[in-house]
Amino acid sequence: MRVCTATACFAAQAGRHLPAVESALGVTADDDRDPDPGVSLRTVRCLGYCYGGPAALDGVTPCAGPDVADQLAGRARPQAPPIPVADATGDPVVLAGVLGDEDPWRIWAETVSRRTPEAVRSEVAASGLRGRGGAGFPVAAKWAAAGGSPDTVVIANGDEGDPGSYADRLLMEEDPARVLAGLALACFACGARRGLVLVRSEYPRALARMREAVERARADGHLGHRPHGGDAGLEIGVVAGAGSYVAGEETALIAELEGGRGCARARPPYPTDRGLWDAPTVVNNVETLAAVPWILSRGAAAYARRGTPGETGTKLVCLSERFARPGCHEVELGTPIRRIVTELGGGLRDGAELEVLQVGGPLGGFLGEADLDVPLTERDLAAHGAALGHAGLVAVDGRIEPLDVLRHVWEFAAAESCGACSPCRVGSRRGLERARSGVPPDAAHARMLRVMGEASLCAFGRRLPYAVRSLVRAYGERLRGWGG
Ligand SMILES: Cc1cc2nc3c(=O)[nH]c(=O)nc-3n(C[C@H](O)[C@H](O)[C@H](O)COP(=O)(O)O)c2cc1C
Ligand code: SF4
Ligand code: FES
């Protein structure tokens, strides 16, 4: 059994569900010496049920809700409500198939028979589409950087590790054809003949749905040898991930696909030069790819009119369990976060007051109530010490002590640091020790945060000090001195 201890599930019951599960099952989590051969209990960080947690997986059966311990112990029926979905834009892009019936493969057939890879790249460049996986890199520029070699591999990144985000799970489960068509179009734009979808192992249903969708696409003639009379063939495979947050980082993901540990490595070389098995490799997030069929069907200008002039298009935002109306909403980039929190989310459940709001997962940041007027763009969030990330919004109310939230942030960091570089490996553990001690930091701690932020190998270690400082800022007086 796998029980989620990540931020949205932590915020649901202030972390009390884990001892409840341990007591209901009579086992200790993550204890390899546990004498019961019938049950093994692992903690995991996010299962994609952040809207209805605390959540767990019993084998592949999801269980979610306040009585998750009873569900796992067989005293209540397992239940995991479907993701509530809504569009706030009036003309959904990535939800075009979840909420409508726009066939994503139609544009694929038209593209391979009538367009060139260069034309596809310039259309997507003109749309302004940037990656939705966190780094915000311009999509067409990454495609061009791979150089057009037929050895190129394009990988759909369905690792979705950010606690609080379940947008990619929604797309892979409810509209897998759109993700595949987007991947096929990306392959075409890169001159690639191989595509891969990596789905995290915590998403067993998404994995099954993606595999079925590949079979269907093949049977319908969208894949294989020269589909729709185009020049080149295309094969797409689906692979299960190995379960770690950092394995979603593109170099770690490539290492994992090659059979190694999911650890990040130094760049250059960039994956577009030397990636999977040394082939030029493009990694794109699932939500990024799901926007591509709409852009090519409706045209770059239609997409570029959406969002803001600097950051075009729409974004899926995911609201956590503490909201009165949790769920996944498609919004225009630039929508004020206050509107998302109050109008779409209905404020917090039971009339509770928002203390802090985590935006963009563990590498994003926290906003206090006074900052909620910030528009949902990378630029505006960065100016507030946060980041867009994958746009998961996790609300924390007043039932949780600020120091417990800080400790939770460091627990996540220490558990998920891949250990490949010492600033992050050592820094995350020192940060946790300090938060557990409850003694405010000294100058050495401040120096450690600085080193971690400057010298860590990947964005995990580099971003964490920012996330910690944003939490300290959001709580103001109540965490003064903890940011280093
Ligand atoms: C620690 C870490 C974890 C990441 N996890 C994910 C992930 O789960 N899914 C994802 O798409 N990108 C993730 N990324 C970003 C990827 O490295 C990469 O930028 C992204 O998949 C590229 O796709 P995009 O350009 O479409 O955004 C992660 C990055 C870091 C540093
Ligand atoms: S920063 Fe952390 S997660 Fe990234 S390579 Fe270093 S140890 Fe691994
Ligand atoms: S399911 Fe627990 S944080 Fe996402």
Side-chain angles (χ1 to χ4, degrees):
M1 294 180 184
R2 287 176 275 185
V3 61
C4 177
T5 55
T7 320
C9 292
F10 167 78
Q13 294 183 345
R16 284 191 298 275
H17 66 289
L18 180 61
V21 167
E22 290 179 319
S23 143
L25 298 175
V27 294
T28 307
D30 302 325
D31 185 354
D32 292 328
R33 299 159 307 159
D34 203 292
D36 185 344
V39 184
S40 102
L41 182 65
R42 297 275 160 210
T43 55
V44 290
R45 279 151 291 278
C46 199
L47 293 166
Y49 290 87
C50 328
Y51 54 93
L57 275 182
D58 179 358
V60 294
T61 307
C63 303
D67 63 343
V68 68
D70 287 339
Q71 293 180 39
L72 290 173
R75 295 197 289 258
R77 266 178 11 137
Q79 51 174 311
I83 300 174
V85 193
D87 167 55
T89 70
D91 186 6
V93 174
V94 281
L95 293 182
V98 174
L99 297 174
D101 55 5
E102 218 172 83
D103 174 16
W105 286 115
R106 194 186 46 78
I107 188 68
W108 166 242
E110 194 190 306
T111 300
V112 288
S113 52
R114 297 216 202 119
R115 301 195 200 190
T116 62
E118 295 73 26
V120 172
R121 289 202 302 270
S122 44
E123 191 77 19
V124 171
S127 78
L129 178 67
R130 288 172 176 265
R132 300 294 190 231
F137 198 79
V139 172
K142 193 188 281 188
W143 292 350
S149 155
D151 293 335
T152 304
V153 187
V154 183
I155 300 172
N157 188 345
D159 206 52
E160 190 163 52
D162 271 9
S165 183
Y166 41 88
D168 293 346
R169 179 167 85 78
L170 173 76
L171 292 171
M172 291 190 285
E173 291 187 2
E174 301 303 325
D175 197 6
R178 184 165 309 272
V179 178
L180 278 188
L183 176 58
L185 290 162
C187 287
F188 180 79
C190 295
R193 293 175 184 168
R194 281 184 302 163
L196 274 178
V197 186
L198 182 125
V199 185
R200 68 200 297 251
S201 62
E202 292 86 347
Y203 286 0
R205 186 157 181 265
L207 186 63
R209 296 279 285 136
M210 288 307 307
R211 286 191 167 134
E212 286 160 20
V214 169
E215 288 310 314
R216 201 166 316 121
R218 210 172 272 137
D220 290 347
H222 299 309
L223 305 177
H225 180 63
R226 302 186 61 191
H228 304 294
D231 288 337
L234 177 62
E235 286 303 339
I236 290 182
V238 179
V239 185
S244 103
Y245 181 71
V246 176
E249 191 278 339
E250 58 185 8
T251 62
L253 180 142
I254 288 166
E256 177 189 354
L257 285 170
E258 290 176 344
R261 290 188 58 185
C263 291
R265 65 160 171 73
R267 289 171 289 187
Y270 288 93
T272 43
D273 293 329
R274 224 165 66 217
L276 186 65
W277 305 117
D278 288 340
T281 302
V282 168
V283 180
N284 275 138
N285 169 255
V286 157
E287 187 183 332
T288 310
L289 293 170
V292 176
W294 193 98
I295 291 170
L296 294 180
S297 303
R298 305 279 197 96
Y303 190 82
R305 279 195 295 274
R306 315 288 297 267
T308 71
E311 296 183 39
T312 59
T314 64
K315 179 78 194 81
L316 293 181
V317 295
C318 296
L319 305 188
S320 70
E321 180 271 353
R322 283 292 87 197
F323 284 93
R325 287 194 297 274
C328 181
H329 301 257
E330 183 160 355
V331 303
E332 303 285 339
L333 279 168
T335 305
I337 290 185
R338 192 177 298 282
R339 190 183 153 224
I340 299 172
V341 167
T342 55
E343 283 179 36
L344 307 183
L348 265 54
R349 64 171 66 209
D350 308 326
E353 296 218 344
L354 180 78
E355 292 278 326
V356 291
L357 180 73
Q358 188 190 43
V359 184
L363 310 186
F366 291 84
L367 300 177
E369 220 280 332
D371 293 327
L372 294 189
D373 292 316
V374 60
L376 186 83
T377 64
E378 186 59 57
R379 212 187 73 167
D380 291 297
L381 284 164
H384 281 75
L388 181 62
H390 208 32
L393 266 51
V394 179
V396 180
D397 61 25
R399 296 166 316 153
I400 309 183
E401 287 301 316
L403 198 51
D404 289 338
V405 181
L406 180 77
R407 194 166 54 233
H408 171 81
V409 168
W410 281 115
E411 268 164 7
F412 182 91
E416 293 290 351
S417 164
C418 83
C421 71
S422 33
C424 169
R425 184 183 62 244
V426 177
S428 57
R429 281 157 183 76
R430 294 270 160 81
L432 178 57
E433 281 163 19
R434 178 61 70 157
R436 278 187 175 150
S437 78
V439 180
D442 52 12
H445 182 84
R447 199 164 54 241
M448 179 209 79
L449 278 184
R450 266 201 310 281
V451 171
M452 203 175 159
E454 284 168 15
S456 288
L457 191 58
C458 82
F460 185 85
R462 284 202 301 270
R463 280 288 321 164
L464 274 165
Y466 290 92
V468 167
R469 288 188 196 109
S470 72
L471 179 68
V472 170
R473 236 186 343 266
Y475 271 120
E477 276 307 315
R478 293 156 72 194
L479 274 185
R480 182 166 298 289
W482 278 93

